[in-house]
Amino acid sequence: MLARLRPGAAVATVWYLRLQAVLNIVAVLSLPFREEVHEHNAGEFFTPYLATAGLASAALALFLAVVMRRRKRAAWILNLLLAGPLFALYVLALTQAEFRHHVLNWISVLLTGAFVAALLIGRREFRAIGDRSNPKLALIVAACGILVSGGIGTLLVNATNKLPGATLTDEIAYSLLRGVSVGPLADRVAAVHAPRWVDITINVLMAISFLFVLYACFRAPRGAELLGDEDERRLRALLDKQGERDSLGYFALRRDKAVIWSPSGKAAITYRVLGGVTLAAGDPIGDPEAWPGAIEEWLEEARQHAWTPAVTGASEEAGTIYARHGLDALEMGDEAIVDVADFSLEGRAMRVVRQAHNRVRRAGFTVRIRRHGEIPDAEMATLIEKADHWRDGGERGFSMALGRLGDPSDGSCVMLECNDAEGEPRALLSFVPWGEKGLSLDLMRRDRSSENGLMEFMVIELLLRARDMGIERVSLNFAMFRAVFERGSRLGAGPVLRLWRSVLTFFSRWWQIESLYRANAKYRPVWEPRFLLFEKTSDIPRIGIANARAEGFLSVPSLPSLSRRRHVEAPQERPSPANR
């Protein structure tokens, strides 16, 4: 019986906290409502748990609703520690005659008691653990918040106090009490009378500080366990057996990812935790029959740490299996894959590409193709230096970028070097293995002052020579929302599709959305759809931010990131497909 009630009880606690957050905000905005709540709390009445008509209570209720929805154990404990003794105090108060005859007091006891009962019934639903460093961080944040908010409040009170004779102690006490409530609590400091706008400002500052404290208390673990040597060895063994299944498989070897294995050890998922989102990329590695085991382990870990699970760039095959485990899918775009056997420069459709290739070749440019393991150390160091020099903007990449160049373990990767007529390097491409007979684009760099069309020239040279190298297929860039651009330009496209295409065209001025599609389409590739997988639609904005951070479009400055070394010495991010 209790087992059936647990999920509903857990949900009930969340809705109670949401309701209290709304009521507290309404009370702050509505003077009559606020005064009535304060009157009841100050007289022979008492109100339900967290109903204090203050912004701090509203912030607490709202934040607790969020973390309770994520089933965090620490939030359950905090609610029980706050609501349990309060309920016991209310019950004790009802033994006194002056409290017992007020109906509102009975309602408050019933609501608070129901909340406590729901907490106890739903106890096992709250299993998510937090970071061990959270309590220490919360104390530091609380101390800083009180100093900053209290300091600003004291200065405002000192400058606007309408009564003479107030001491510094009076002003500090008034600021701290006003930070708790805009009601009569601070009126006990008789020597201070500040304007209403000062009271509200102090309360808002304290509420904001309180939110930071709550975040520090309940933030999810950051997933510090990254790819180790043994994990990398095992992943490479799986890629040797099953690497041809997914063109993104080799990117699982990024060393800023963590890995979780299926119980059998025949499959694995690599992921990175950002902002409480456990973000996997591409398909699971290994035997598809073992994928469900790895997915279950990954989802269980997400539940234990209150992480939001998401997958970026999954294939349709993997997306189908993820969907069986409760994840929903959203098509992100398409990956451009060129079948070497079908590629040709002949025909009218390839006239523009053929002309561009001939123009660059007549200008004296040549392309050299080698495996990374065949490049001497001195030459590789020069190429790394050139790649850094040619980099446009910050480091980017996650789902379709390896994040390093020149690592001895990546000897099977393929490097294309483009030299001008004088033999000077002007551009380079790097591809990672896709099984034994495929390549997947990793890195694109060129000298901005060089001839236009070098990238197209290099790609075509690779496709023309690929058959001699034993390469049968090449994965190029990923085109976000390709179907929108293709279908939106056709005759008969609906108004919604045309509008969506216009919006994407507008944003393409900054993010190269349409230009990537056009650049890939010229090679006449096969388009393979890629999907974003998620549990709840409401999580998509959060997942989008985490994805943008992983790919390098958003960054949070930190001292380690500012001092991090490049390439072989330390793993780091390379340009994403949208900027390669």
Side-chain angles (χ1 to χ4, degrees), residues 145-294:
I146 291 173
L147 286 174
V148 173
S149 302
I152 295 175
T154 301
L155 291 174
L156 290 174
V157 170
N158 179 267
T160 60
N161 185 17
K162 300 177 182 179
L163 300 178
T167 64
L168 179 61
T169 303
D170 293 333
E171 293 169 350
I172 293 175
Y174 182 90
S175 298
L176 294 178
L177 291 173
R178 190 57 78 200
V180 176
S181 173
V182 292
L185 184 63
D187 295 341
R188 300 175 182 178
V189 183
V192 177
H193 180 65
R196 191 65 179 173
W197 68 268
V198 172
D199 296 346
I200 295 175
T201 300
I202 296 173
N203 194 250
V204 169
L205 288 174
M206 196 63 73
I208 293 173
S209 300
F210 193 49
L211 282 177
F212 280 113
V213 174
L214 290 174
Y215 170 76
C217 282
F218 300 116
R219 64 176 185 147
R222 296 179 176 247
E225 294 293 331
L226 300 182
L227 196 66
D229 293 340
E230 177 61 20
D231 287 325
E232 184 172 339
R233 184 193 64 78
R234 293 175 65 187
L235 285 174
R236 289 184 181 276
L238 290 182
L239 288 172
D240 289 341
K241 296 178 181 178
Q242 304 280 346
E244 75 282 351
R245 302 194 67 91
D246 184 17
S247 62
L248 308 187
Y250 198 87
F251 300 123
L253 300 176
R254 284 181 64 102
R255 290 169 188 153
D256 59 356
K257 292 181 177 181
V259 61
I260 193 163
W261 296 87
S262 66
S264 66
K266 294 181 179 180
I269 293 176
T270 59
Y271 63 93
R272 185 176 174 187
V273 180
L274 288 164
V277 175
T278 172
L279 186 65
D283 297 353
I285 306 300
D287 188 349
E289 292 186 0
W291 287 3

Side-chain angles (χ1 to χ4, degrees), residues 102-181:
H102 294 296
V103 176
L104 180 61
N105 291 346
W106 287 95
I107 295 175
S108 298
V109 171
L110 288 175
L111 290 176
T112 305
F115 179 75
V116 172
L119 283 175
L120 295 174
I121 294 172
R123 177 178 62 89
R124 294 187 181 179
E125 294 292 312
F126 299 92
R127 298 181 297 162
I129 60 177
D131 197 294
R132 293 182 178 179
S133 64
N134 286 359
K136 181 179 178 180
L137 178 63
L139 289 174
I140 296 173
V141 173
C144 293
I146 291 173
L147 286 174
V148 173
S149 302
I152 295 175
T154 301
L155 291 174
L156 290 174
V157 170
N158 179 267
T160 60
N161 185 17
K162 300 177 182 179
L163 300 178
T167 64
L168 179 61
T169 303
D170 293 333
E171 293 169 350
I172 293 175
Y174 182 90
S175 298
L176 294 178
L177 291 173
R178 190 57 78 200
V180 176
S181 173

Side-chain angles (χ1 to χ4, degrees), residues 280-320:
D283 297 353
I285 306 300
D287 188 349
E289 292 186 0
W291 287 3
I295 293 172
E296 289 168 4
E297 293 290 327
W298 175 63
L299 291 176
E300 178 59 27
E301 184 184 52
R303 285 189 287 268
Q304 289 178 356
H305 296 88
W307 291 335
T308 299
V311 184
T312 180
S315 70
E316 188 170 0
E317 179 185 10
T320 302

Side-chain angles (χ1 to χ4, degrees), residues 273-457:
V273 180
L274 288 164
V277 175
T278 172
L279 186 65
D283 297 353
I285 306 300
D287 188 349
E289 292 186 0
W291 287 3
I295 293 172
E296 289 168 4
E297 293 290 327
W298 175 63
L299 291 176
E300 178 59 27
E301 184 184 52
R303 285 189 287 268
Q304 289 178 356
H305 296 88
W307 291 335
T308 299
V311 184
T312 180
S315 70
E316 188 170 0
E317 179 185 10
T320 302
I321 298 177
Y322 275 112
R324 294 172 188 165
H325 291 78
L327 271 64
D328 202 353
L330 178 67
E331 187 172 346
M332 298 174 61
D334 297 85
E335 178 187 8
I337 298 176
V338 179
D339 191 326
V340 173
D342 294 336
F343 179 78
S344 173
L345 288 177
E346 302 300 324
R348 183 177 180 82
M350 301 297 290
R351 181 169 57 91
V352 175
V353 176
R354 185 170 60 250
Q355 290 175 347
H357 176 264
N358 292 335
R359 175 177 54 81
V360 175
R361 186 177 58 185
R362 285 194 299 268
F365 287 87
T366 58
V367 173
R368 186 178 186 182
I369 304 177
R370 291 182 287 178
R371 297 278 179 179
H372 285 204
E374 300 170 356
I375 303 175
D377 292 343
E379 293 185 33
M380 179 61 78
T382 301
L383 292 174
I384 292 174
E385 182 181 355
K386 291 290 185 182
D388 280 342
H389 181 68
W390 295 333
R391 184 176 63 238
D392 182 18
E395 298 289 351
R396 293 177 181 173
F398 173 69
S399 58
M400 297 180 72
L402 187 57
R404 59 181 182 264
L405 187 64
D407 193 299
S409 63
D410 300 321
S412 57
C413 294
V414 172
M415 180 76 76
L416 276 72
E417 309 154 54
C418 185
N419 299 325
D420 61 17
E422 286 75 33
E424 286 295 318
R426 291 297 184 181
L428 63 85
L429 296 177
S430 182
F431 289 80
V432 300
W434 173 11
E436 294 183 357
K437 299 182 179 181
L439 295 175
S440 185
L441 179 60
D442 171 34
L443 185 68
M444 259 185 168
R445 295 284 167 81
R446 78 175 182 90
D447 186 349
R448 297 294 171 178
S449 63
S450 64
E451 185 87 5
N452 288 329
L454 291 190
M455 293 303 172
E456 291 82 354
F457 176 67

